[in-house]
Amino acid sequence: MFKYEKMLEYPINVKKKDLKMAKLLCAQFGGPDGELGAALRYLSQRFTMPDERGKALLTDIGCEELGHVEMINTMIYGLIKNATVDELKSAGLDSYYTQHNKGIYPVDANGVPFTSAYIASTGNPIVDLQEDLAAEEKARATYENLMDLTTDESLLAPLSFLRQREIVHYNRFKELLDYYKRR
Amino acid sequence: MLFDEDNIYFDDYKNINIENVNINRSKTLYSYEEGFNKGNLFKDLYSKYKNHVYKLNVSNDKDKLLLDIQTHTFALKDLNLYLDTHPEDQSILEEFNKIKNKLDDLKNKYENKYGPLCLNSVNSNKDFTWINNPWPWDIRR
């Protein structure tokens, strides 16, 4: 089962309204390499991991990814909270506003809704772990792109943290994959 | 040539040093604070992007205590993931247990003063304090 802890993994204090960045950050919520897909990917794949190390690692990283979804959503929420309709329009969020107002909904940076087609769960641990390595690297690259697009330190600090987590996860998945290959 | 000399992606890979991860090597860790600021407790895995380095600062006592909890929760989590793939590493397990005890103390201190962080810490006969603001996404200005 899952339990909720009433805190973020890393503190977020959005300093100012920024609708463009809110739109772009959606990539890491409902995009193909985003945190929601990551959580679903690992929490689904874990059922067919062949030993206790794999079951533990995919569960633990999958749970951490849910915490990352919460961080991204907190940023998006804070960035659009006080926006006017005119401001949303000029940031290209008028179509988003039509369907979701300021609600948090999983889409990518272009407004394309999240789909489970972004993830794989093949039942084969070697194949799944190879997918996970790629997913972590794609998410890392996306964070770097996002970091290039803002100078706001109240966003850069959590983005830098989240990017680093992709690197750690990559390495742990790699260790698990190498271990399975040796066996 | 496969990579341009100033290709940043190539530099990233050199820093990540993926192939040199030695399963039984004793790990060198950052302090919990530095590790939390970096998002990585393990010195051999840390890889910076451009010049992005950040240090968290909080002003009031409540946020300081919460930051301390988040710092230790993170340290526990990062060692958790390491131990998943290195369950035989006794020294990291000792470190894990040390953090766990410290985290219990910090949470007790926070929850007695400011209210529950998880449902089974609700400790009140008159008010259901679990629902109280702030929730994590509430904006603190």
Side-chain angles (χ1 to χ4, degrees):
Chain A
M1 71 172 289
F2 292 90
K3 286 186 180 178
Y4 187 64
E5 287 211 64
K6 213 169 160 183
M7 64 180 187
L8 299 175
E9 188 185 12
Y10 179 98
I12 289 174
N13 252 311
V14 175
K15 289 280 184 267
K16 61 178 199 321
K17 184 166 56 179
D18 183 344
L19 303 177
K20 279 264 187 310
M21 274 312 287
K23 183 172 188 287
L24 302 175
L25 283 169
C26 284
Q28 291 299 60
F29 176 26
D33 312 310
E35 301 289 358
L36 180 63
L40 292 177
R41 182 181 295 114
Y42 310 142
L43 292 177
S44 302
Q45 291 175 351
R46 68 188 173 133
F47 288 90
T48 43
M49 284 294 133
D51 72 351
E52 49 197 8
R53 294 184 188 204
K55 283 181 258 188
L57 187 67
L58 273 85
T59 300
D60 295 335
I61 294 182
C63 287
E64 188 181 351
E65 305 292 10
L66 284 174
H68 296 172
V69 171
E70 186 182 36
M71 284 177 63
I72 294 289
N73 290 351
T74 297
M75 283 189 257
I76 297 170
Y77 170 75
L79 288 168
I80 64 175
K81 190 165 186 278
N82 298 317
T84 64
V85 170
D86 279 342
E87 288 169 335
L88 288 162
K89 259 192 207 170
S90 50
L93 282 167
D94 42 350
S95 49
Y96 187 94
Y97 182 79
T98 304
Q99 288 168 266
H100 311 292
N101 197 296
K102 292 181 190 172
I104 295 293
Y105 182 76
V107 294
D108 75 4
N110 294 311
V112 179
F114 178 79
T115 162
S116 54
Y118 294 152
I119 71 169
S121 180
T122 68
N124 179 320
I126 302 292
V127 176
D128 281 353
L129 285 169
Q130 297 279 11
E131 140 117 351
D132 302 345
L133 294 179
E136 294 293 335
E137 283 290 75
K138 287 186 281 180
R140 177 179 67 84
T142 308
Y143 278 120
E144 289 168 8
N145 299 340
L146 284 167
M147 289 168 75
D148 291 342
L149 288 159
T150 182
T151 53
D152 181 346
E153 289 208 358
S154 71
L155 301 178
L156 283 167
L159 289 173
S160 172
F161 174 90
L162 289 166
R163 170 189 170 274
Q164 194 66 217
R165 298 311 294 154
E166 310 296 342
I167 292 165
V168 173
H169 294 170
Y170 177 93
N171 279 278
R172 299 294 168 235
F173 283 135
K174 180 76 162 56
E175 286 162 357
L176 186 65
L177 177 64
D178 290 347
Y179 174 73
Y180 287 160
K181 283 180 169 171
R182 281 198 306 273
R183 299 193 81 193
Chain B
M1 198 198 288
L2 186 56
F3 294 103
D4 295 339
E5 268 167 37
D6 61 347
N7 188 305
I8 56 159
Y9 299 104
F10 185 50
D11 286 342
D12 276 355
Y13 272 102
K14 280 194 298 200
N15 292 339
I16 291 174
N17 222 350
I18 289 158
E19 303 304 331
N20 292 336
V21 176
N22 182 334
I23 301 293
N24 289 316
R25 182 155 66 81
S26 99
K27 296 283 165 181
T28 322
L29 304 177
Y30 290 115
S31 73
Y32 303 153
E33 290 72 22
E34 191 177 357
F36 187 49
N37 280 316
K38 287 181 152 68
N40 190 344
L41 214 54
F42 292 84
K43 288 185 178 174
D44 62 331
L45 297 185
Y46 178 66
S47 153
K48 191 168 69 170
Y49 180 55
K50 295 182 179 170
N51 287 318
H52 292 286
V53 178
Y54 299 94
K55 192 173 182 313
L56 286 160
N57 270 313
V58 286
S59 44
N60 64 62
D61 289 348
K62 185 182 175 186
D63 285 349
K64 263 183 204 153
L65 189 50
L66 184 63
L67 182 65
D68 212 6
I69 290 170
Q70 287 168 313
T71 301
H72 285 79
T73 302
F74 173 76
L76 197 73
K77 183 75 194 178
D78 215 20
L79 295 193
N80 158 206
L81 300 186
Y82 171 84
L83 285 165
D84 285 347
T85 54
H86 308 78
E88 72 296 327
D89 191 327
Q90 210 61 41
S91 69
I92 295 289
L93 182 60
E94 276 166 30
E95 190 83 12
F96 178 90
N97 288 327
K98 212 174 80 190
I99 302 167
K100 194 165 60 78
N101 293 334
K102 172 77 178 169
L103 186 57
D104 287 344
D105 292 346
L106 289 169
K107 277 186 171 168
N108 279 334
K109 202 170 152 195
Y110 182 95
E111 289 176 322
N112 286 334
K113 247 181 163 167
Y114 304 114
L117 291 170
C118 61
L119 194 64
N120 52 3
S121 313
V122 174
N123 186 15
S124 164
N125 296 319
K126 48 179 174 42
D127 299 312
F128 187 56
T129 50
W130 174 248
I131 67 168
N132 292 358
N133 283 331
W135 282 79
W137 56 89
D138 286 334
I139 293 161
R140 310 140 177 264
R141 282 202 179 110

